[in-house]
Amino acid sequence: MHSPALVALAAALLPQLPTGFTSRQLENVRDRLLERDLRSWELGTAAQALTEYSWPALSVFNVSAFPPPSPLPPSLNASDVLSIAHTVVLERPHNTLALIANEGSAADPASIGVAVLLANWTRTDRTDTSYAEAAGEQLGFLLHDVPRTESGAISHRNEQAQLWADFVYMVPPFIAYFGALQGGRGGRELLQTSYDQCRLYREALRDEGGLWRHIAHGNWQDPTHWATGNAWAAAGMLRVLQTLNHTAQAERFTRQQADLREWIDEILEASWDYQRPNGAVYNVIDDDESFTDTAATALLAAVTYRMAAITGDARHLPFANRAFNLIKDSIDEDGWLLDTTDPYTFHQPSPPGQYSPEGQAFVLLLHSAWRALSDLANE
Ligand SMILES: *[C@@H]1O[C@H](CO)[C@@H](O)[C@H](O)[C@H]1NC(C)=O
Ligand SMILES: *[C@@H]1O[C@H](CO)[C@@H](O)[C@H](O)[C@H]1NC(C)=O
Ligand SMILES: *[C@@H]1O[C@H](CO)[C@@H](O)[C@H](O)[C@H]1NC(C)=O
Ligand SMILES: *[C@@H]1O[C@H](CO)[C@@H](O)[C@H](O)[C@H]1NC(C)=O
């Protein structure tokens, strides 16, 4: 399945990998994630995390991701992921094009789109067009209705053209997945669009040195190198990279894949340069007055393990290993990830007794990435 050289490399790396989370930790983390009412991007991120954690054969990281088996075999029912898609499509008002109504963000609802497309593809009732319609309207809304910058970057917001690094995890992976399932010329155009949006966002947000600003354009900005924003961007580009790589049309996207690998690596390189001795990165990566954030640290480490499994490049593994050990030690007995940033204000620690739903999902993504690298070594 993988090249013998990559497997040999992974095997050589295996002794360096830390021991994993306990299954009790993982089940608690998952249960805490799902017991809250989640906002649109949290739902989309949860669906992706559950896919990678429980149904890795269906995630875009699997070489046989396209097309997914239909109907799904009972051992691969993806029930928790499909239940998110089901509820969202059921509750979507008829007069709204986005998957979730009344979000200021044009991008966040689209993060659920991959789960909705999976639900359509694998549905047992072939007369049910509700998922395909919901996904199609969400796509059309992004491509035709949402404001854009002069460069053509689709806005993260509905009310004005404004670019947030978060967008890269919410939208391009959905457009790419749509294109991968559609195939043909139309699918190819969508795959190219997903890449182009990553490129345009990088052009707008990347600073010298490789870190990305959080928010640019529009009537206010957040020019800080917000750790979660950098992690969203790297992780989003990674999903696009793997979607391109696993489509039937992969060979037409060789150059785009090379760019994405370089752009992901650029964020990892710049971010880990600022890793604190405890393994974390600061909430504002290059600001000494900031505080450390386990959530972004977990997602950056997840991307690092995935990239090592894809390219065999082990340069950043020691950083990811330190981060991994910190995350293992930062999960309390109920399964909450401690010491996160407040994902709603961006620039304060989560208040006492409050936690980060996306941080919970990032732990599952980190475990899934760690497991993929370990499995590769044992292939
Ligand atoms: C990828 O999917 C195939 C087919 O469903 C499965 O046999 C394989 O185990 C999966 N690999 C991973 C790493 O999940
Ligand atoms: C889906 O699969 C899981 C694990 O394989 C199983 O525990 C669960 O009962 C299944 N759910 C449905 C609805 O079949
Ligand atoms: C929905 O699934 C069908 C297969 O049942 C497929 O032909 C169609 O393209 C899918 N729609 C979307 C939007 O992916
Ligand atoms: C998929 O990615 C691997 C790893 O980067 C690369 O070696 C391979 O050429 C890619 N495959 C295609 C078809 O683009």
Side-chain angles (χ1 to χ4, degrees), residues 1 56-57 62 64:
M1 202 95 98
N62 191 301
S64 33

Side-chain angles (χ1 to χ4, degrees), residues 15-278:
Q16 298 172 29
L17 284 185
T19 52
F21 297 97
T22 67
S23 42
R24 189 181 156 78
Q25 270 183 323
L26 292 167
E27 283 311 304
N28 284 342
V29 168
R30 178 187 180 281
D31 290 349
R32 297 294 85 73
L33 168 64
L34 291 176
E35 77 188 14
R36 293 288 156 112
D37 278 337
L38 299 178
R39 307 280 307 276
S40 57
W41 78 91
E42 295 167 342
L43 272 175
T45 305
Q48 178 65 24
L50 294 169
T51 304
E52 293 187 33
Y53 173 56
S54 296
W55 323 102
L58 300 175
S59 99
V60 296
F61 293 98
N62 191 301
V63 287
S64 33
F66 300 111
S70 180
L72 290 171
S75 61
L76 203 62
N77 62 50
S79 51
D80 45 12
V81 176
L82 297 179
S83 137
I84 291 175
H86 179 77
T87 308
V88 164
V89 169
L90 198 68
E91 290 177 354
R92 192 179 71 119
H94 285 298
N95 59 359
T96 181
L97 297 173
L99 283 168
I100 301 232
N102 304 320
E103 290 276 301
S105 172
D108 292 344
S111 65
I112 308 158
V114 171
V116 172
L117 286 167
L118 182 67
N120 168 64
W121 195 270
T122 61
R123 73 203 188 285
T124 43
D125 175 4
R126 289 318 224 189
T127 65
D128 180 359
T129 56
S130 63
Y131 295 109
E133 278 166 22
E137 289 183 8
Q138 173 65 78
L139 177 71
F141 181 62
L142 286 166
L143 295 181
H144 307 302
D145 298 324
V146 173
R148 295 192 187 216
T149 60
E150 262 172 44
S151 70
I154 301 171
S155 176
H156 187 78
R157 303 288 304 173
N158 283 317
E159 77 281 4
Q160 61 172 339
Q162 191 178 57
L163 308 185
W164 298 35
D166 319 36
F167 173 97
V168 179
Y169 198 81
M170 308 307 155
V171 171
F174 164 60
I175 297 179
Y177 197 78
F178 205 116
L181 290 179
Q182 185 171 321
R185 189 191 167 84
R188 199 150 68 234
E189 283 172 8
L190 291 175
L191 291 167
Q192 179 64 33
T193 299
S194 71
Y195 161 84
D196 285 334
Q197 289 300 317
C198 295
R199 177 174 58 77
L200 293 170
Y201 265 72
R202 175 175 172 275
E203 279 168 14
L205 296 179
R206 177 186 177 276
D207 276 328
E208 212 178 307
L211 293 175
W212 287 32
R213 275 170 276 161
H214 182 202
I215 300 172
H217 292 274
N219 58 15
W220 62 279
Q221 287 83 36
D222 177 1
T224 66
H225 299 137
W226 188 45
T228 309
N230 279 275
W232 283 132
M237 289 193 289
L238 175 67
R239 289 168 64 196
V240 172
L241 170 67
Q242 289 305 89
T243 307
L244 293 177
N245 192 251
H246 294 151
T247 61
Q249 312 207 56
E251 271 154 28
R252 294 174 180 259
F253 290 93
T254 310
R255 181 182 56 79
Q256 293 88 333
Q257 291 180 56
D259 285 344
L260 289 165
R261 285 196 299 269
E262 185 187 319
W263 300 341
I264 295 161
D265 204 58
E266 174 181 77
I267 291 178
L268 295 179
E269 179 96 34
S271 302
W272 289 134
D273 208 25
Y274 291 96
Q275 187 179 44
R276 311 313 307 157
N278 75 347

